[in-house]
Amino acid sequence: MTANEPVGAPGAGRDPAPESDAGPGRDPEPGPGPAGYDAVVLAGGAARRLGGADKPGLRVGGRALLDRVLAACDGARSTVVVADPRPTARPVTWAREDPPGGGPLAALAAGLRRTAAEHVVVLSADLPFLAGPTVGRLLSALAAGDADGVLLTDADGRDQPLVAAYRAPALRRELAALARERAERAAGPDLTGLPLRRLTGALRLTRLPDAVASFDCDTWDDIATARARIREHGHVLDEWISAAKDELGIDLDVDTKLLLDLARDAAHGVARPAAPLTTFLVGYAAGRAGGGPEAVAAGARKAAALALRWAEEAAGPAPAPAKDRSDPAPGATPDARPDA
């Protein structure tokens, strides 16, 4: 990872978010546990192995790498991004090490000063496959044990200290010790230029192997690998839905199977163009009804039932019920049958 390099140029998009972790009109979402957790995302970096590209702004699956990481930790009580401000998909608090480009320890210390939770998730901004459940797994493992931190290891078994959950007091303790050591050596009390291993080597750590969530993008080959994986059959729909929700600014659990079944019924029972139109109308009706998964499900059920009725009618009218053709009573004329 290259969190120790200077920040790149801001990307295009929405205006930079204010220094707040609550979206417009809503309170911050609590994290696991009664006190929640805070997140520090290190998004600085000159990305020299990417030719100086703006790595946090590079897109994988239509979303900036930074936004993908922010989505993974959106349950944080407070999210601090250590970098120059840039447009992001959700509001965050911005911080910067002094001097800028001082390295990962200096950046971590700058971000940690803006947090207050007992547990802190520390992430780099180049993790295309990190997701909320993995963040939850790190936090659960931290809460269940007595270690100072829990981090992921990559496919080669290497520690990834920027995909981890830590006890904030332990981080502050060791960062302060490193600053004192630097000051005693007349190098100044700052942490500029120190590698992360100087911190992690002093901590008691638990390790969780995860080759996918720990995958980071340092080179163009890494970016190409991530983009190809996003489009694999088993991932593409979930990735597309996540990207679309981010782009539209909505937070809604989508029952993919329900909507695909509806689209199939509309396409087969009515006409192929009815599939996208019907799902649009269901979404519009759900919005008029106040939104939420329940409203979507209710609208989808009604539309699916309509499509099935439509298909039944297209199959032709049902045969009329046969009248009773029982034999006439002995000796009776045809008009004198019992049912005449």
Side-chain angles (χ1 to χ4, degrees):
M1 296 179 187
T2 55
N4 59 320
E5 297 169 356
V7 71
R14 305 175 196 174
D15 293 335
E19 293 195 356
S20 166
D21 294 291
R26 66 184 181 92
D27 294 326
E29 295 179 6
Y37 73 96
D38 290 341
V40 175
V41 181
L42 306 189
R48 295 185 180 91
R49 294 164 68 186
L50 286 165
D54 174 28
K55 182 162 66 169
L58 292 178
R59 297 184 180 276
V60 173
R63 292 190 289 166
L65 284 170
L66 175 57
D67 285 338
R68 297 181 72 90
V69 172
L70 292 178
C73 62
D74 64 355
R77 185 179 65 183
S78 174
T79 300
V80 182
V81 179
V82 185
D84 291 331
R86 63 167 64 233
T88 53
R90 71 175 179 88
V92 300
T93 296
W94 297 98
R96 202 67 171 106
E97 71 273 29
D98 185 19
L105 282 188
L108 175 56
L112 197 61
R113 283 194 289 269
R114 306 296 295 272
T115 66
E118 179 79 11
H119 295 167
V120 178
V121 171
V122 177
L123 305 169
S124 64
D126 59 353
L127 302 164
F129 304 127
L130 183 68
T134 301
V135 172
R137 190 158 59 101
L138 289 167
L139 289 163
S140 295
L142 183 65
D146 60 357
D148 296 323
V150 180
L151 54 76
L152 295 189
T153 57
D154 65 15
D156 297 320
R158 293 173 299 195
D159 287 354
Q160 297 298 319
L162 297 185
V163 199
Y166 298 98
R167 299 187 192 279
L171 290 181
R172 293 189 176 95
R173 180 191 70 228
E174 296 305 329
L175 287 170
L178 287 170
R180 285 195 302 271
E181 180 184 332
R182 294 269 289 194
E184 290 169 0
R185 294 182 179 181
D190 66 86
L191 303 170
T192 299
L194 291 181
L196 272 172
R197 64 177 177 272
R198 292 291 303 276
L199 172 67
T200 56
L203 298 174
R204 294 175 298 113
L205 299 174
T206 297
R207 292 162 174 83
L208 301 178
D210 193 327
V212 176
S214 64
F215 181 89
D216 60 320
C217 293
D218 286 333
T219 68
W220 287 113
D221 284 344
D222 294 336
I223 294 291
T225 297
R227 288 172 172 170
R229 179 178 171 82
I230 289 297
R231 286 166 173 75
E232 290 177 0
H233 178 69
H235 304 279
V236 66
L237 274 182
D238 288 340
E239 289 291 345
W240 168 249
I241 289 170
S242 294
K245 289 195 296 185
D246 277 0
E247 192 70 18
L248 296 173
I250 58 175
D251 183 12
L252 176 70
D253 291 330
V254 177
D255 189 333
T256 305
K257 184 179 183 303
L258 180 70
L259 292 177
L260 289 178
D261 287 346
L262 169 60
R264 178 203 61 208
D265 292 340
H268 293 173
V270 184
R272 290 182 66 85
L277 294 173
T278 305
T279 52
F280 164 77
L281 291 172
V282 165
Y284 183 79
R288 291 287 300 273
E294 298 82 4
V296 173
R301 285 193 296 268
K302 290 180 180 179
L306 174 62
L308 291 176
R309 293 198 303 270
W310 191 286
E312 289 170 357
E313 292 178 9
K323 292 185 178 181
D324 186 1
R325 299 297 183 184
S326 57
D327 293 333
T333 62
D335 291 337
R337 289 176 296 173
D339 60 341

